[in-house]
Amino acid sequence: MSHHIVEVIDLEYSYPDGTPALGGVSFTVTHGESVALVGSNGAGKSTLLLHLAGCLVPQSGEVRIGHLPLTKKTIPQVRRNIGMVFQDPDDQLFMPLVYDDVAFAPLNLGFPPEEVEQRVVNALNTVGATHLRNRPPYRLSGGEKRRVAIATVLSMSPSVLFMDEPTSNLDPRARRELIGLLKRFEHTRIIATHDLDMALDVCTRTIILKNGSVIADGPTVDILGNEKLLHTGGLEKPLRLQGCPVCNNN
């Protein structure tokens, strides 16, 4: 059994007021794939990610991580194999020092101190943030917070990474550095994003959601190059696929 496989089977979910959020979503992500979830606001991207991470339990249908169905009973076991990076790093950084944040999950799962130290060192080194280990999170820049938030997940050595808008609110340099970091990861990755240029760089496959349903699923280059399909999903072509507006007017 591979812990890296993610399966979603006829997943349905409605908000407490009865508003439908997901309507029969199905797809499979295999070992090592990097998949972008794209769609306009309200398409269901974040709600889907919350199901994959075990923050929400399916009302109908099924989510499987490594062929293990995600239920209230299996959530503790499933969460040992997954990592969720939220849109706002401040949702994940709450300890006095960066080291404490990255060590929090391994410590709470009972790993011995020497292993916790090694996990923290490895995670911070992977994201290029070793020099930040003794800094308080509130003294970090947006890009630094994003790196540390990812490190808090990597310290658990997850098989699968889920990310919600990882490049949001980053300046151009921090965004470029984060894209370089994501491209080096060998994890199975599912990334919800509005940043279609980042999706082109990082993800080989793209799924478009509209009104809680999958309307397209295929190679990123094909999906994001299809202007008619993107328009149907309330999206526009990535900037670098739009051509030069000056040249096109000549």
Side-chain angles (χ1 to χ4, degrees), residues 1-5 7 31 64-69 77 81 159:
M1 181 181 77
S2 172
H3 297 299
H4 302 256
I5 295 175
E7 296 178 275
H31 182 101
R64 289 175 169 266
I65 307 294
H67 303 300
L68 183 69
Q77 184 178 352
N81 296 310
S159 301

Side-chain angles (χ1 to χ4, degrees), residues 1-247:
M1 181 181 77
S2 172
H3 297 299
H4 302 256
I5 295 175
V6 178
E7 296 178 275
V8 179
I9 306 165
D10 294 326
L11 179 63
E12 297 185 2
Y13 181 79
S14 295
Y15 297 117
D17 65 359
T19 303
L22 298 173
V25 173
S26 296
F27 60 85
T28 298
V29 176
T30 58
H31 182 101
E33 276 197 284
S34 183
V35 180
L37 291 178
V38 304
S40 58
N41 289 333
K45 302 186 299 298
S46 293
T47 302
L48 177 55
L49 276 191
L50 290 174
H51 278 85
L52 299 181
C55 299
L56 293 174
V57 176
Q59 296 170 341
S60 178
E62 193 171 53
V63 173
R64 289 175 169 266
I65 307 294
H67 303 300
L68 183 69
L70 197 156
T71 65
K72 290 182 179 179
K73 184 178 180 180
T74 64
I75 281 176
Q77 184 178 352
V78 168
R79 283 182 175 165
R80 287 178 175 267
N81 296 310
I82 63 176
M84 175 73 178
V85 180
F86 293 93
Q87 181 173 351
D88 186 349
D90 288 329
D91 290 337
Q92 292 180 254
L93 306 178
F94 51 86
M95 299 293 283
L97 298 176
V98 163
Y99 180 93
D100 301 325
D101 269 315
V102 181
F104 181 83
L107 279 172
N108 277 271
L109 285 178
F111 289 107
E114 60 273 14
E115 183 171 349
V116 171
E117 170 69 19
Q118 192 59 55
R119 283 173 175 264
V120 172
V121 169
N122 290 344
L124 290 174
N125 183 59
T126 298
V127 301
T130 303
H131 62 293
L132 302 175
R133 67 177 277 161
N134 294 318
R135 294 266 298 275
Y138 70 87
R139 297 283 298 274
L140 304 180
S141 69
E144 290 171 337
K145 286 183 179 181
R146 188 79 64 187
R147 285 174 178 267
V148 173
I150 295 173
T152 66
V153 171
L154 296 184
S155 67
M156 292 303 298
S157 301
S159 301
V160 184
L161 286 176
F162 304 124
M163 298 184 173
D164 193 1
E165 300 291 352
T167 60
S168 66
N169 300 318
L170 295 184
D171 61 45
R173 179 177 178 179
R175 175 184 173 276
R176 184 173 63 254
E177 291 175 346
L178 179 62
I179 288 173
L181 174 64
L182 297 180
K183 290 171 72 174
R184 295 195 298 272
F185 283 168
E186 297 180 357
H187 303 73
T188 301
R189 285 154 288 162
I190 300 179
I191 304 173
T193 185
H194 285 106
D195 186 345
L196 301 190
D197 284 279
M198 182 273 290
L200 269 177
D201 284 327
V202 174
C203 302
T204 56
R205 174 181 167 194
T206 291
I207 296 172
I208 299 181
L209 292 178
K210 180 180 180 181
N211 298 327
S213 297
V214 175
I215 65 167
D217 181 353
T220 295
V221 174
D222 295 342
I223 296 289
L224 299 188
N226 188 326
E227 194 164 5
K228 183 177 180 181
L229 178 59
L230 291 174
H231 180 74
T232 300
L235 303 167
E236 294 184 350
K237 274 187 175 183
L239 289 175
R240 74 169 180 269
L241 295 184
Q242 293 182 20
C244 173
V246 177
C247 298

